[in-house]
Amino acid sequence: MQRVAVLALLVSISMPLTAQNGRGYLFGEPKVSLTLFGGFAQPGAGGDLWAFTFDELTLGRGDLASIERGGDVAVRVSPRFDLVLSYAVSDARSRSEVRDWVDENGDPIRQTTRFTRRPLGLSARYYFRDRGRALGNYAWVPARFVPFASLGFGRMSYSMDQAGEFVESGTNEIFTDRYRAEGRASFAQLGFGASFTIAPAVVLTGEARYLRASGDGEPSFTGFDRLDLSGLSTSLGLTLRL
């Protein structure tokens, strides 16, 4: 009965605050959050392999942009720090033609390029202000808007696949082939974002992340520098506080 009386008192205290800010409260500070997000990934596509590709084919950096989707699990380790395990997938597919060449019928020499990245990473996320405040020992009021920054690392699987018709540089012969680079690579990642509480346990989370990585061009692209896997991603997601 004593606990019920305490909870009733906390509810009566928090009701004006709830009515004022529209956030409500939770029974205790959340320790874990789950996020599903979607957004836009734009690879940087630097280095000599991408430069060669853009010179030879009617392909540009913008053609490598794609929808990115993924999710993360965040565990609170202090009032302003989380450890975040995240996974995402971006998959771009673009049609192109060989520049300045046509076949014997005057038709374009076409091929398809597909570029896929699947990063799995662990990062530390720092919030620039408190994410909420406790009301006694039984209630926690989330803040409306909280910006954050993150720094992390991980491993990604990647593939670059080009299939179709090409022109042999020595003989000008048109041939059909498939070229592929695939493997796994380490990456580092820096992010900035913010969370916006839309209900006590539900948060809208936006983030921009820059990922830095490079991988081998094998098995098909030997003789080039390492394949640039870096890029900028922006996302918007729904977070559930647990």
Side-chain angles (χ1 to χ4, degrees), residues 28 38 65 97 107 116 123 125 128 152 158 168 206:
E97 301 172 5
D107 296 324
T116 304
S123 61
R125 180 182 292 171
F128 292 104
Y158 67 90
E168 174 63 48

mmCIF file of all heavy atoms in Angstrom, residues 28 38 65 97 107 116 123 125 128 152 158 168 206:
data_model
loop_
_atom_site.group_PDB
_atom_site.id
_atom_site.type_symbol
_atom_site.label_atom_id
_atom_site.label_comp_id
_atom_site.label_asym_id
_atom_site.label_seq_id
_atom_site.Cartn_x
_atom_site.Cartn_y
_atom_site.Cartn_z
ATOM 1 N N GLY A 28 11.226 4.305 -14.580
ATOM 2 C CA GLY A 28 12.654 4.050 -14.515
ATOM 3 C C GLY A 28 13.370 4.426 -15.789
ATOM 4 O O GLY A 28 12.786 4.469 -16.872
ATOM 5 N N GLY A 38 16.135 3.815 -42.002
ATOM 6 C CA GLY A 38 16.310 3.806 -43.446
ATOM 7 C C GLY A 38 16.825 5.155 -43.884
ATOM 8 O O GLY A 38 16.597 6.167 -43.207
ATOM 9 N N ALA A 65 24.748 5.930 -55.643
ATOM 10 C CA ALA A 65 23.903 6.229 -54.491
ATOM 11 C C ALA A 65 22.767 5.213 -54.404
ATOM 12 O O ALA A 65 22.286 4.704 -55.414
ATOM 13 C CB ALA A 65 23.339 7.643 -54.600
ATOM 14 N N GLU A 97 26.924 2.525 -70.367
ATOM 15 C CA GLU A 97 27.395 2.207 -71.715
ATOM 16 C C GLU A 97 28.873 2.567 -71.814
ATOM 17 O O GLU A 97 29.373 3.418 -71.061
ATOM 18 C CB GLU A 97 26.610 3.010 -72.753
ATOM 19 C CG GLU A 97 25.111 2.766 -72.711
ATOM 20 C CD GLU A 97 24.347 3.728 -73.610
ATOM 21 O OE1 GLU A 97 25.009 4.514 -74.336
ATOM 22 O OE2 GLU A 97 23.103 3.707 -73.585
ATOM 23 N N ASP A 107 24.477 0.140 -82.068
ATOM 24 C CA ASP A 107 23.834 0.086 -80.757
ATOM 25 C C ASP A 107 24.857 0.303 -79.642
ATOM 26 O O ASP A 107 26.035 -0.045 -79.790
ATOM 27 C CB ASP A 107 23.160 -1.270 -80.557
ATOM 28 C CG ASP A 107 22.024 -1.493 -81.538
ATOM 29 O OD1 ASP A 107 21.330 -0.497 -81.858
ATOM 30 O OD2 ASP A 107 21.832 -2.647 -81.982
ATOM 31 N N THR A 116 27.730 -3.135 -53.471
ATOM 32 C CA THR A 116 27.045 -3.483 -52.230
ATOM 33 C C THR A 116 28.001 -3.364 -51.052
ATOM 34 O O THR A 116 29.153 -3.794 -51.129
ATOM 35 C CB THR A 116 26.513 -4.926 -52.301
ATOM 36 O OG1 THR A 116 25.667 -5.061 -53.442
ATOM 37 C CG2 THR A 116 25.729 -5.285 -51.050
ATOM 38 N N SER A 123 30.067 1.215 -31.835
ATOM 39 C CA SER A 123 30.440 2.611 -31.647
ATOM 40 C C SER A 123 30.057 3.090 -30.259
ATOM 41 O O SER A 123 29.184 2.525 -29.596
ATOM 42 C CB SER A 123 29.773 3.502 -32.709
ATOM 43 O OG SER A 123 28.364 3.425 -32.622
ATOM 44 N N ARG A 125 28.474 6.307 -28.375
ATOM 45 C CA ARG A 125 27.637 7.469 -28.678
ATOM 46 C C ARG A 125 27.572 8.376 -27.455
ATOM 47 O O ARG A 125 27.241 7.915 -26.350
ATOM 48 C CB ARG A 125 26.238 7.026 -29.085
ATOM 49 C CG ARG A 125 25.286 8.159 -29.415
ATOM 50 C CD ARG A 125 23.910 7.633 -29.756
ATOM 51 N NE ARG A 125 23.923 6.889 -31.015
ATOM 52 C CZ ARG A 125 22.869 6.189 -31.444
ATOM 53 N NH1 ARG A 125 21.772 6.114 -30.714
ATOM 54 N NH2 ARG A 125 22.955 5.554 -32.598
ATOM 55 N N PHE A 128 24.951 15.216 -25.896
ATOM 56 C CA PHE A 128 25.448 16.515 -25.461
ATOM 57 C C PHE A 128 24.623 17.132 -24.332
ATOM 58 O O PHE A 128 24.998 18.174 -23.804
ATOM 59 C CB PHE A 128 25.497 17.484 -26.649
ATOM 60 C CG PHE A 128 26.527 17.113 -27.671
ATOM 61 C CD1 PHE A 128 26.168 16.520 -28.861
ATOM 62 C CD2 PHE A 128 27.872 17.364 -27.433
ATOM 63 C CE1 PHE A 128 27.121 16.176 -29.804
ATOM 64 C CE2 PHE A 128 28.841 17.027 -28.369
ATOM 65 C CZ PHE A 128 28.462 16.428 -29.557
ATOM 66 N N GLY A 152 33.088 5.031 -34.039
ATOM 67 C CA GLY A 152 33.127 3.582 -33.957
ATOM 68 C C GLY A 152 33.989 2.947 -35.013
ATOM 69 O O GLY A 152 34.655 3.615 -35.812
ATOM 70 N N TYR A 158 31.737 -6.522 -48.774
ATOM 71 C CA TYR A 158 31.501 -5.627 -49.908
ATOM 72 C C TYR A 158 31.641 -6.403 -51.207
ATOM 73 O O TYR A 158 32.283 -7.458 -51.272
ATOM 74 C CB TYR A 158 32.485 -4.457 -49.902
ATOM 75 C CG TYR A 158 33.921 -4.873 -50.149
ATOM 76 C CD1 TYR A 158 34.442 -4.924 -51.444
ATOM 77 C CD2 TYR A 158 34.750 -5.246 -49.093
ATOM 78 C CE1 TYR A 158 35.752 -5.327 -51.674
ATOM 79 C CE2 TYR A 158 36.059 -5.646 -49.307
ATOM 80 C CZ TYR A 158 36.555 -5.687 -50.599
ATOM 81 O OH TYR A 158 37.846 -6.093 -50.823
ATOM 82 N N GLU A 168 37.784 -4.411 -75.927
ATOM 83 C CA GLU A 168 39.192 -4.734 -75.710
ATOM 84 C C GLU A 168 40.046 -3.572 -76.194
ATOM 85 O O GLU A 168 39.959 -3.150 -77.353
ATOM 86 C CB GLU A 168 39.548 -6.011 -76.467
ATOM 87 C CG GLU A 168 41.024 -6.367 -76.422
ATOM 88 C CD GLU A 168 41.488 -6.642 -75.006
ATOM 89 O OE1 GLU A 168 40.806 -7.407 -74.298
ATOM 90 O OE2 GLU A 168 42.531 -6.082 -74.621
ATOM 91 N N GLY A 206 17.548 10.790 -36.053
ATOM 92 C CA GLY A 206 18.196 11.110 -37.316
ATOM 93 C C GLY A 206 19.697 11.174 -37.141
ATOM 94 O O GLY A 206 20.192 11.606 -36.099
#
